[in-house]
């Protein structure tokens, strides 16, 4: 976990239940006698997020429909801090050992300071109903965001979250991407400048793959016939043609058309093998330098791939 992540310590669930009382309906007692939550229930993460976003970020309202992907706040926050490091030029410590461009070791032009990472503007690709990255970016660093999605319902929900929290509304612009295959096209305006882009890409290649993965997950939890996806998420938001590898390729290829408008391009990469695929694609772009920042902890290690021209 990033050293600036405020969730280093395990959650104090009884304290969080005082913020959102319904959480106590999902209390379980661990073998060593601690109070924890029943995470097999899809409602649990939603309520936990409500409590965290209310207590720690002062949100007056945050809710998403039952079917939508429900983000784990601490993990999402790690990506935000990684982007901040990148923008401040402090990311060398996180670099992987594989050979990368020398230029990526250096700070971006001039070497930005802490204060310079404020007031920046980023693009969140596929923000989802939860609007999670813009919320955390606005609250932790005072950034502004353009947030996109292909799913109209998700954007409607995201818009409601922003509306009920005026401090967000002034800093976040939502834009619908109408072309599922496009990433930056149509949503970055001519002459618009963005300091960074970020993305948690959809990872399945077909809707039925989503269902299969959900069923496997339930089987592992010993609940064969459970009707819901316990990680949440409507099939529509979790799949993309060609799965994550193709999404990454498309994003990298398209980024070249926006090289004069964007400082750093970044994306999460869920599997190590996909990083290779992405690096091959990056290799085809002349004059792009890139770096990889490892984030997460334990079984949830992920990487942020970042490149610039
Ligand atoms: N950012 C959220 C949601 C990630 S799921 C989170 O981290 O929890 C991926 C999202 O990408 C979904 O909401 C899906 O609808 C959206 N998406 C898929 N293809 C897209 C595209 N071409 N442009 C923008 N968003 C897209």
């Amino acid at each position: 976990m990033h050293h600036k992540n405020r969730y280093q310590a395990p959650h104090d669930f009884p304290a969080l239940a005082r913020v959102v009382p319904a959480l106590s309906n999902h209390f379980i007692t661990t073998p060593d006698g601690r109070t924890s939550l029943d995470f097999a229930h899809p409602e649990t993460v939603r309520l936990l997020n409500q409590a965290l976003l209310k207590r720690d970020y002062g949100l007056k309202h945050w809710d998403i429909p039952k079917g939508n992907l429900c983000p784990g706040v601490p993990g999402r926050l790690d990506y935000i801090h990684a982007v901040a490091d990148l923008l401040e030029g402090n990311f060398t410590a996180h670099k992987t050992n594989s050979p990368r461009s020398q230029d990526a070791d250096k700070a971006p032009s001039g070497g930005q300071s802490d204060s310079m990472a404020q007031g920046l503007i980023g693009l969140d690709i596929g923000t989802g109903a939860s609007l999670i990255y813009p919320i955390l970016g606005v609250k932790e660093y005072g950034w502004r965001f353009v947030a996109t999605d292909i799913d109209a319902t998700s954007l409607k929900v995201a818009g409601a979250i922003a509306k009920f929290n005026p401090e967000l509304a002034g800093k976040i612009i939502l834009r619908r991407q109408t072309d599922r295959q496009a990433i930056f096209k149509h949503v970055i305006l001519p002459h618009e400048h963005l300091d960074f882009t970020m993305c948690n890409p959809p990872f399945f290649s077909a809707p039925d793959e989503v269902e299969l993965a959900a069923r496997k997950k339930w089987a592992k939890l010993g609940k064969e016939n459970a009707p819901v996806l316990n990680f949440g998420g409507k099939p529509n938001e979790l799949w993309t043609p060609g799965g994550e590898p193709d999404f990454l390729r498309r994003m990298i290829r398209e980024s070249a058309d926006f090289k004069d408008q964007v400082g750093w391009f970044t994306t999460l990469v869920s599997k190590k093998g996909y990083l290779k695929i992405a690096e091959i694609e990056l290799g085809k772009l002349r004059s792009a330098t890139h770096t990889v920042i490892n984030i997460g902890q334990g079984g949830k290690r992920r990487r942020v791939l970042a490149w610039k021209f």
Side-chain angles (χ1 to χ4, degrees):
M1 200 174 265
H2 193 281
H3 68 278
K4 284 188 186 162
N5 195 315
R6 62 173 78 217
Y7 299 111
Q8 309 285 339
H11 294 308
D12 178 346
F13 296 116
L16 286 163
R18 286 193 285 278
V19 181
V20 173
L23 256 185
S24 58
N25 300 335
H26 302 284
F27 277 174
I28 53 167
T29 306
T30 61
D32 57 349
R34 281 176 306 115
T35 298
S36 185
L37 293 175
D38 173 16
F39 284 106
H41 200 287
E43 187 78 347
T44 308
V45 184
R46 195 175 65 86
L47 293 169
L48 174 60
N49 280 2
Q50 262 173 7
L52 295 173
L53 293 171
K54 190 171 175 185
R55 186 192 66 183
D56 302 332
Y57 295 101
L59 292 205
K60 285 180 263 321
H61 161 90
W62 182 89
D63 207 1
I64 58 173
K66 288 220 166 74
N68 281 88
L69 182 68
C70 201
V73 173
R76 297 301 196 279
L77 188 52
D78 253 12
Y79 186 3
I80 291 290
H81 285 310
V83 171
D85 283 349
L86 191 68
L87 297 170
E88 289 158 11
N90 298 331
F91 57 92
T92 1
H94 304 274
K95 251 179 66 102
T96 54
N97 294 325
S98 36
R100 316 219 180 262
S101 158
Q102 289 301 305
D103 286 358
D105 288 346
K106 293 182 210 136
S109 50
Q112 289 163 325
S113 70
D114 240 311
S115 59
M116 279 184 72
Q118 288 172 17
L120 301 179
I121 180 158
L123 172 70
D124 180 27
I125 299 145
T127 200
S130 68
L131 198 66
I132 190 66
Y133 289 125
I135 291 172
L136 297 177
V138 167
K139 292 286 182 174
E140 291 276 351
Y141 289 100
W143 295 336
R144 288 175 298 131
F145 279 87
V146 174
T148 75
D149 211 287
I150 51 166
D151 190 75
T153 314
S154 294
L155 282 183
K156 223 167 142 183
V157 176
I161 294 172
K163 194 177 144 205
F164 281 105
N165 299 282
E167 74 280 19
L168 297 178
K171 295 204 153 188
I172 301 168
I173 301 169
L174 299 174
R175 286 187 196 150
R176 171 105 190 271
Q177 174 59 271
T178 49
D179 177 357
R180 188 177 268 276
Q181 301 273 349
I183 315 275
F184 306 111
K185 230 184 331 188
H186 315 305
V187 292
I188 299 185
L189 308 179
H191 311 301
E192 188 169 42
H193 180 267
L194 299 159
D195 296 291
F196 65 92
T197 71
M198 62 189 302
C199 179
N200 180 11
F203 33 86
F204 295 107
S205 57
D208 50 348
E209 231 185 78
V210 180
E211 218 173 284
L212 195 74
R215 245 187 270 128
K216 265 195 204 154
K217 197 161 177 179
W218 275 110
K220 246 196 218 162
L221 290 165
K223 302 183 183 183
E224 299 287 349
N225 298 315
V228 279
L229 308 172
N230 79 323
F231 46 80
K234 296 180 297 178
N236 183 46
E237 68 179 355
L238 296 176
W239 80 276
T240 181
E244 182 177 321
D246 245 51
F247 198 88
L248 294 173
R249 275 196 216 103
R250 288 202 298 275
M251 191 188 306
I252 291 165
R253 258 182 244 143
E254 233 196 73
S255 70
D257 297 335
F258 295 88
K259 62 175 182 220
D260 298 327
Q261 288 178 265
V262 174
W264 279 102
F265 294 92
T266 79
T267 182
L268 273 181
V269 179
S270 70
K271 293 191 178 147
K272 219 171 177 176
Y274 295 167
L275 199 57
K276 273 261 139 51
I277 294 172
E279 288 185 316
I280 289 170
E281 203 60 46
L282 277 169
K284 297 180 194 164
L285 300 180
R286 287 178 45 227
S287 70
T289 59
H290 75 280
T291 188
V292 177
I293 305 169
N294 291 305
I295 63 168
Q297 60 174 3
K300 284 203 170 164
R301 285 190 192 285
R302 303 225 268 169
R303 49 241 110 217
V304 173
L305 174 65
W307 68 101
K308 69 183 329 220
F309 291 85

